[in-house]
Every structure is written in C-alpha cells, then in structure tokens.
Amino acid sequence: MLEKIGKFLYHTIFINIHAGDKELIVYIERKNTKGLVESEEKVFDTDTINDEMKKYINFFTKDTPYFYISFLDSSTSQGAAPTCEHIEISKFYDKALCKYGCYNNKWSYYTSKFDLDEIENDFSDLGLDFVFSPFIILANFFKDKIESHLAIFVLIQKDSISLSIFDTSELLYAQYICLKDEFETTDEFSIDSDDSDEITLEDVSEDSIDLDSIDIDDDLDVFGDIEDLDSIEEIDEFTDIEEDLEEESTSLNQSSHKNTMSESGELFDEDFQMFSLIQASIKTFYEDEKYNSKFVENIYIADSIGINGDLKNYLEEEMFLNVYVRQINLGVEISELAQSELK
C-alpha cells in the first residue's frame, strides 16, 4: 500500500544501458501511474562508466526512490543453448564457470561468472538491478515469428551479432559473435598485393554450405536481479588495371561505400565480414551433430545500427535465404524487459 502511494507521489525512472563500439548508450524513461512522461537517450564516448555518465544518471534518480538500472550483457563468453536440463547443459557450456537462466523451461541463456562479476563491479557506484541477455531481447522482439516459424533470428549491434535458430519456440541453435574480435582477425580476409589473380566472392566463399549434404528433419525470463543469478553488389576485383582505366577506377573507388575494400587489399567491407560470420555459424548448425539440424529458408534481422542493403543481398544471393529486417531500439526493448520483470 505504501509503495503504491509512493509511486503516485514519485516518478519511476528506468535507466537502460547498452554498449556500442567504444561507447555506452543510456536510454532513460520517466513514468508515472498513467504511463510514459518523457524519454531521452545519450551516447557516451567511453567503454567504461565515467564521472560524466554517473552525473547524467544521478540527475534523473536523485529525486525519486523508484529507479531501476538495467544493462544489456555484452560479455564475450555468453550464449544460449537448446536445453534447460542439467545433464544436457554440459554439452554446450561449463556450468561451473557460468551463470545461467531458463526461458520458459525450454532453453537456457548463460554468461561467465567472471564477466558478470566485472559488470557488477563496474556498476558498484550506481547499483545494478538487471542484466539482460541479448538472446532474451531476440525472443521478446520476434515473439510473434518465433512462436510460429522455423527461422534464423539475428540481433546486430555495433560490436556483436547474436544469432539463434528457432522452430516454433524451440531453440535449435545459438551463437554470440563478438565483431571486434573477429574483425581484428583479418588473415582470412586479407589479400596479397603481389598476387594478380582474380579473387571473386565465389572464391572467398568456397567453404560455403553444401546444401546437398544437409539432412532435413521431417519430422520472459531474464537474468533478472543480479543477486538471483545462478540485387548483390560485386566485390571489387583485383585484376591488373589497364593504364587507360586506372584513373577512372581510382575515382570510383574513392566515392564508393566507406567500408569497401581498397585496391591495396586491406579488408573486405564490414557487411561482407558479417555475412561470412553468419554463414559460418549456420554451417556449424548444419554440421555439428549435437544440434537438431533442419533446413532453414528464412532469416529475421533485428537491426540496431542501420545496416545497408549489402548484408541483405549477400544473404539472399549467396545463401538463398528470405531476409526480413526490422529496426530495433535497444534502449526501449531493455526498458520493456525491466518493466515486465517488476510486474
């Protein structure tokens, strides 16, 4: 009763934080008993909680005892597994090193104890109420599709890809991919500048999935309270350029997409790298015997960064997938999960 009176007198503040590429994004909602009063978002150019960020958050929380701070897990050692059975879990991750939760008693999501301790320590001055898995974000955001479809569901952030495959609410496979780590490992994408042989998309994708080898089977929980945790664009071809075309080609390259690979052979564009990582992950699903592999034709992408059309085209043209893209505001989604947890 007293809490209801208090919430009538005070606003409730939801502070929702997620990480980008060397930045932290804070999305804040102020609510009263009638609903949303205001919301705002601010990006901090830091990968750790600094004084400026603390001051910003304290401005919203200082006048009310009702505030909740949530964080979207960005730990590299996290994932999800298609089981909640204790005996089966060990096939996918080490229970002794991880904390995990179950979603509707169907599948589990996990992260390392060490990483969670680090997160809690980072928030020690502010306090932290909830840590949410990106796989829970996916399950909530695509709930309508997951319940009725066999499909791949992907959340794309600036620094990560969370990939899962569901068959009518049954999780078949999941992988968390840290893009920063993958992009820094560029040997397989690099090209010897002394090699004048033509390199095409088909050459790079020679390890792509052999569809003929696939056996086709015919046949809101969150981590919660911290204390309770237990058309495709062709890749530039690197052939010898005739002198009379060299100037024109150079001009075109300078005006092309900012991520496109240069003639010196530095890196493929980031969309192609993301495509390659998604392709490799799906290949693992098809080939690893511990997964209940089924042929998948559709992929749903939750886009939080504004990807261009190249990734969609790669997936359509190279993997023959039907691609559906939805824009997602991670701050809003985190806030919804926090509010659901309090009901």
Side-chain angles (χ1 to χ4, degrees), residues 303-341:
D303 175 20
S304 73
I305 63 174
I307 59 174
N308 61 42
D310 290 347
L311 176 59
K312 183 175 184 291
N313 289 334
Y314 290 141
L315 292 167
E316 289 174 338
E317 300 295 332
E318 292 299 307
M319 296 188 68
F320 309 104
L321 291 168
N322 301 313
V323 184
Y324 307 92
V325 180
R326 287 185 187 176
Q327 302 302 312
I328 184 173
N329 184 316
L330 287 175
V332 172
E333 297 301 317
I334 298 168
S335 186
E336 284 188 6
L337 288 178
Q339 291 170 59
S340 296
E341 188 74 1

Side-chain angles (χ1 to χ4, degrees), residues 3 58 86-87 132 166 188 204 233 235 248 292 313 334:
E3 184 175 357
N58 287 333
H86 291 287
I87 297 176
F132 295 107
F166 282 91
E188 62 180 316
V204 177
E233 293 182 10
I235 297 298
E248 178 183 356
N292 180 23
N313 289 334
I334 298 168

Side-chain angles (χ1 to χ4, degrees), residues 126-152:
L126 292 170
L128 185 59
D129 297 285
F130 305 107
V131 175
F132 295 107
S133 166
F135 294 98
I136 300 299
I137 294 285
L138 269 175
N140 189 57
F141 187 69
F142 284 120
K143 187 175 185 295
D144 59 328
K145 300 301 180 183
I146 286 174
E147 289 180 345
S148 58
H149 286 63
L150 166 62
I152 304 160

Side-chain angles (χ1 to χ4, degrees), residues 69-184:
I69 300 178
S70 303
F71 183 70
L72 181 60
D73 190 10
S74 58
S75 307
T76 57
S77 301
Q78 66 167 300
T83 183
C84 272
E85 298 294 332
H86 291 287
I87 297 176
E88 296 294 320
I89 281 175
S90 59
K91 294 180 181 179
F92 302 95
Y93 56 92
D94 190 338
K95 292 186 295 182
L97 299 178
C98 296
K99 291 185 178 180
Y100 67 95
C102 286
Y103 187 90
N104 290 344
N105 294 317
K106 292 183 177 180
W107 52 274
S108 60
Y109 48 93
Y110 64 90
T111 195
S112 78
K113 292 179 179 178
F114 175 80
D115 287 342
L116 283 176
D117 288 342
E118 286 289 302
I119 292 171
E120 187 173 10
N121 183 63
D122 290 342
F123 280 87
S124 59
D125 290 342
L126 292 170
L128 185 59
D129 297 285
F130 305 107
V131 175
F132 295 107
S133 166
F135 294 98
I136 300 299
I137 294 285
L138 269 175
N140 189 57
F141 187 69
F142 284 120
K143 187 175 185 295
D144 59 328
K145 300 301 180 183
I146 286 174
E147 289 180 345
S148 58
H149 286 63
L150 166 62
I152 304 160
F153 298 90
V154 178
L155 170 62
I156 295 183
Q157 299 176 248
K158 285 186 178 180
D159 59 353
S160 67
I161 296 174
S162 302
L163 183 149
S164 60
I165 301 176
F166 282 91
D167 182 10
T168 55
S169 295
E170 177 189 358
L171 178 67
L172 303 180
Y173 173 79
Q175 183 183 10
Y176 182 82
I177 304 167
C178 181
L179 292 179
K180 185 173 75 169
D181 292 346
E182 296 292 343
F183 284 2
E184 287 175 353

Side-chain angles (χ1 to χ4, degrees), residues 268-287:
F268 285 101
D269 65 273
E270 291 185 0
D271 276 14
F272 184 80
Q273 291 189 56
M274 285 192 287
F275 157 72
S276 298
L277 293 167
I278 291 171
Q279 182 188 49
S281 184
I282 297 171
K283 183 179 180 182
T284 298
F285 166 67
Y286 285 136
E287 296 182 351

